[in-house]
Amino acid sequence: MEIDWAALRAAAIEVMRRAYVPASDFPVGVAGLVDDGRVIVGCNVENASLGMTLCAECGLVSALHASGGGKLVAMSCVDATGAPLMPCGRCRQLLWEHGGPDMLVEALPRPLRMDELLPHAFGWVDMEKVTGPAGGPEVPAELAKWRGRGTVFVHPDLSGGATIWTGYWERSSGAPGTGEDKGILEEGPNFPTASAAVAWGLVRTPRIVVVDAEGGLSWAGEGELPEGIPQRWKKEEQA
């Protein structure tokens, strides 16, 4: 999509003049290009309770969803002189959520991608590492207190002559001689690949052991290899 930076900046300057800034006298205006071609705007709005002040980017994101949603492609943010202004840290996170890593922000001497402004950003991918993706392998509410504990064992099985993979979440760490209570917390469904079963397990605990058809053990969890497990699991060996 072609970006008319001059038009975006002009729209940002126009809305900047409507900012409500009785405390700072620092007006900010933003204009954003949406993936369907719409141009939306926002300005900062201060409050006597200063912590309630809304940055211009907050207004931009509200306008995005109030006018039909979509994804931000590019944004121009300006100060009182009309010069490009960088978003604050909180707003970079907000823009990442609604524009993603490829969104462009006007800067000098060139526009910057969001993954340049916010490297190693936090997003839903990080949430899914713990809770599972939407519609994915969430931990049942009654087992939530066990998240991060115990061990998941992944192993192959046969169904209709084809190899499938499944897993079970064991209460203990699996370490020998600990005297820990044992017992299965949860049995997993059937998965077409070992990697899918491992992903199910990692939502539950960082301790994942893959058992192959011959009974050999591989470590698919986090950290160093535990005692008694000779090798790390490799995805290319999942079949």
Side-chain angles (χ1 to χ4, degrees):
M1 178 181 295
E2 185 176 349
I3 301 168
D4 186 342
W5 288 108
L8 274 184
R9 192 189 296 193
I13 291 172
E14 181 180 357
V15 75
M16 174 269 296
R17 298 193 179 106
R18 304 174 196 161
Y20 178 72
V21 287
S24 70
D25 195 28
F26 191 87
V28 177
V30 294
L33 176 65
V34 186
D35 57 0
D36 64 0
R38 298 187 340 263
V39 173
I40 55 174
V41 297
C43 60
N44 55 332
V45 177
E46 294 181 344
N47 191 283
S49 177
L50 296 180
M52 294 178 63
T53 291
L54 298 175
C55 292
E57 293 86 347
C58 296
L60 184 78
V61 169
S62 293
L64 170 69
H65 291 284
S67 61
K71 185 175 182 180
L72 291 169
V73 174
M75 185 196 77
S76 175
C77 179
V78 300
D79 62 18
T81 70
L85 182 67
M86 286 295 97
C88 70
R90 182 184 74 160
C91 287
R92 294 182 193 200
Q93 180 69 40
L94 187 68
L95 294 170
W96 179 278
E97 178 88 6
H98 300 280
D102 298 325
M103 177 186 166
L104 295 174
V105 175
E106 185 178 19
L108 298 176
R110 64 172 179 84
L112 296 173
R113 288 166 48 99
M114 276 306 304
D115 58 6
E116 294 178 278
L117 289 178
L118 190 64
H120 313 295
F122 176 83
W124 289 107
V125 167
D126 301 282
M127 296 285 288
E128 290 171 2
K129 289 178 182 177
V130 176
T131 63
E138 295 88 350
V139 176
E142 65 272 17
L143 297 177
K145 67 179 182 179
W146 286 95
R147 183 183 285 137
R149 301 159 61 187
T151 306
V152 166
F153 293 88
V154 171
H155 60 89
D157 205 342
L158 289 176
S159 176
T163 299
I164 58 171
W165 292 83
T166 189
Y168 62 91
W169 187 9
E170 164 68 51
R171 185 187 302 266
S172 75
S173 68
T178 60
E180 296 172 303
D181 289 338
K182 295 185 178 181
I184 294 176
L185 293 167
E186 183 183 13
E187 294 188 17
N190 294 334
F191 298 96
T193 64
S195 59
V198 167
W200 174 87
L202 286 171
V203 170
R204 288 150 175 78
T205 174
R207 298 182 54 84
I208 311 292
V209 177
V210 178
V211 185
D212 64 28
E214 289 73 40
L217 304 180
S218 298
W219 181 247
E222 299 175 5
E224 299 300 317
L225 296 177
E227 181 181 354
I229 299 181
Q231 60 190 351
R232 190 169 294 279
W233 175 72
K234 297 179 180 179
K235 286 188 177 182
E236 60 268 22
E237 296 175 358
Q238 63 186 262

